[in-house]
Amino acid sequence: MRRPAVSAAVAVLSAVLLLVTGCSTGQRVDLGAGAGNLVAAIAGEPDQLDPHKTSAYFSFEVLENVFDTLVEPDADLEMKPALAESWEVSPDELTWTFRLRPGVRFHNGDPLTAEDVVFSYRRIIDEGLTNVDKFSAVADVSAPDPATVVIRLDRPTPNLLTNLGGFKGMAIVSRRNVESGEIATNPVGTGPFAFAGQRSGDSITLRANPDYWGGPPKVPGVTFRFISEPSTALSALQAGEVDWTDSIPTQRVSQLEGDDSLSLAVTPSNDYWYLALNNAKPPWNDVRVRQAVAYGIDRDAIVAATSYGTAALNQLAIPEGNPWFTPYDTYSYDIDRARSLLQEAESQPQNLDMLVTSEYPETVTAAQIIADNLAPLGITVNIRTVDFATWLDEQNNGNFDMLMMGWLGNIDPDDFYYAQHHTDGTSNAQKFSDPEVDRLLDAGRVETDRDARADDYAKAATLIADNVSYIYLYNPSVIQAWTPALQGYEARRDGAIRFRTAELSEEGAA
């Protein structure tokens, strides 16, 4: 998963509102979002709202509150009941039987049945949508009765629950919503909030679902405002224009830790940021050239500039402290080693097209450092800054030499590596292919012994880094801030934004 530029008019509007209302820091300003709505500032506009087709983090920030999955991760990232209230596994681990929670309805009033689950999963499988790889072991999905879903596997799958509920890309959708073609712009789910409307370039508004199976939300709705500039989002929070944001300037974190006018969370995450070179294009199809770039990049400088010390340097995807962590520190910043590898490859690249997006400011900042880093190697980095929708198109079309992006919301080691690095992976935009990596990633998907599975992933991760499928940079923290009037909200290390239990006190209302 990933992170439109909001015009300068946002900043002007903010200033005008402050002058007109005279609200001081901490006061909440009604911007027409809906009386009593929780106003959340996110850093970009969703590319679309079909959970089965989008891979954009901005979309999932919204969709987390609109859709449900069969199971879902709790705060400790352990899978718990959601639309399925219970399940059983056969002794051979090839048949999983899920019992649906009774009385659940979609936002359009249709009852949830097992057929909706089958339709949702078959849609992903049959159309080869974004998360089809998570069904690689699924032989059949059926609904023997309206309250029962049976998933039959062709091999044991130790991470099936994580695959089904790790994030909202596996949402249970409404067939009527899909077949009408409205799901991308007017999604219908079973979640705590229903889609109410969208103002292109400005905001999306959700309304509370009073019949939510987990209990009605404590706020009448949520309005997500799109504010791409972190300093503008923080100013809006401090001025009372928004109640919550995850768009915080990292250079302000240490200062904000002592600010009693807001609540700040800096939560270690399983997310990671990386660079990818296009393995399908010369000279980047030569592993020695990719390794030269890996040695030619100053990760310390990138981490300092992009996170101001809030992130952890890492040369693999999985962070230290995670039970699946593998130590790896092959690539020091070594220009001489980089130059030697280029000579060995008899290659001297002159130009590198680097694809970044202003909607993820980290990518722009890192690109500038990388341009300086690679100049001594005779490589001119041409930074190409585009909007996120274009970034996705260019990535998917292979129109880049290098790009930078992040993966958020990972839980199981399969989430960190398979889709991105398996030859047939659905997110392998860099076109990496290594038979041994494929073998290890395939083995990790079926290995039920915990230690043996960890060994598979440790070996695969090491090969992925050795052969430079990705140049891993760091694991960021989830950084969020909100008004003290917002209660019942908890920052999560999987980056999921859940407002189902949030409430706003009267304190601070304008």
Side-chain angles (χ1 to χ4, degrees), residues 450-508:
R450 171 66 173 75
D451 291 339
R453 191 166 186 250
D455 186 58
D456 287 337
Y457 284 111
K459 289 176 180 176
T462 299
L463 284 172
I464 286 165
D466 284 348
N467 295 325
V468 199
S469 177
Y470 279 1
I471 299 174
Y472 293 102
L473 298 173
Y474 58 87
N475 299 109
S477 290
V478 174
I479 304 173
Q480 301 172 0
W482 55 90
T483 170
L486 174 59
Q487 304 292 321
Y489 174 81
E490 183 179 8
R492 297 168 52 92
R493 57 193 177 97
D494 63 352
I497 310 303
R498 294 184 184 174
F499 289 126
R500 63 182 75 170
T501 59
E503 60 181 316
L504 284 167
S505 69
E506 292 300 316
E507 174 190 354

Side-chain angles (χ1 to χ4, degrees), residues 384-397:
R384 185 156 52 101
T385 307
V386 297
D387 63 80
F388 185 60
T390 302
W391 188 99
L392 285 172
D393 287 341
E394 295 291 82
Q395 175 207 234
N396 294 334
N397 293 329

Side-chain angles (χ1 to χ4, degrees), residues 2-3 39-44 57-58 60-62 224-231 233-234 237 242-250 253 263-265 271 359-362 408 477-482 489 491-492 495-497 499:
R2 336 283 185 179
R3 281 186 199 214
V39 182
I42 60 177
Y57 180 63
F58 302 137
F60 287 114
E61 288 189 276
V62 175
F224 291 90
R225 299 185 65 84
F226 316 139
I227 304 178
S228 64
E229 176 54 50
S231 60
L234 177 59
L237 175 66
V242 302
D243 302 304
W244 174 97
T245 186
D246 64 348
S247 186
I248 303 291
T250 50
V253 168
S263 297
L264 178 73
D271 307 338
E359 293 166 48
Y360 290 86
E362 302 94 329
L408 298 91
S477 290
V478 174
I479 304 173
Q480 301 172 0
W482 55 90
Y489 174 81
R492 297 168 52 92
I497 310 303
F499 289 126

Side-chain angles (χ1 to χ4, degrees), residues 127-171:
E127 297 183 26
L129 301 182
T130 302
N131 296 295
V132 66
D133 62 285
K134 296 189 182 301
F135 290 105
S136 63
V138 173
D140 182 62
V141 185
S142 62
D145 63 63
T148 306
V149 176
V150 177
I151 298 178
R152 292 187 172 86
L153 308 174
D154 58 22
R155 58 186 184 272
T157 304
N159 61 326
L160 181 68
L161 292 180
T162 300
N163 284 347
L164 297 179
F167 77 113
K168 291 302 181 286
M170 300 293 282

Side-chain angles (χ1 to χ4, degrees), residues 28 51 54 142 151 178 228 248 352 357 378 391 412 417 434 454 466 485-486 488:
R28 191 171 183 283
T54 184
S142 62
I151 298 178
V178 171
S228 64
I248 303 291
L352 186 153
T357 172
W391 188 99
D412 187 84
Y417 295 120
D434 183 302
D466 284 348
L486 174 59

Side-chain angles (χ1 to χ4, degrees), residues 354-379:
M354 184 161 184
L355 183 65
V356 299
T357 172
S358 57
E359 293 166 48
Y360 290 86
E362 302 94 329
T363 66
V364 179
T365 301
Q368 294 163 348
I369 295 171
I370 291 166
D372 290 340
N373 289 165
L374 298 185
L377 295 175
I379 300 174

Side-chain angles (χ1 to χ4, degrees), residues 396-451:
N396 294 334
N397 293 329
N399 188 21
F400 66 92
D401 289 332
M402 176 187 275
L403 53 76
M404 177 178 171
M405 194 43 66
W407 276 94
L408 298 91
N410 309 288
I411 299 176
D412 187 84
D414 184 78
D415 301 334
F416 288 88
Y417 295 120
Y418 193 96
Q420 302 90 328
H421 307 289
H422 193 283
T423 298
D424 299 322
T426 55
S427 297
N428 186 356
Q430 73 279 14
K431 303 303 181 187
F432 176 76
S433 181
D434 183 302
E436 181 62 8
V437 169
D438 289 351
R439 185 191 71 79
L440 289 164
L441 294 180
D442 286 334
R445 285 193 150 187
V446 300
E447 180 56 67
T448 56
D449 180 87
R450 171 66 173 75
D451 291 339

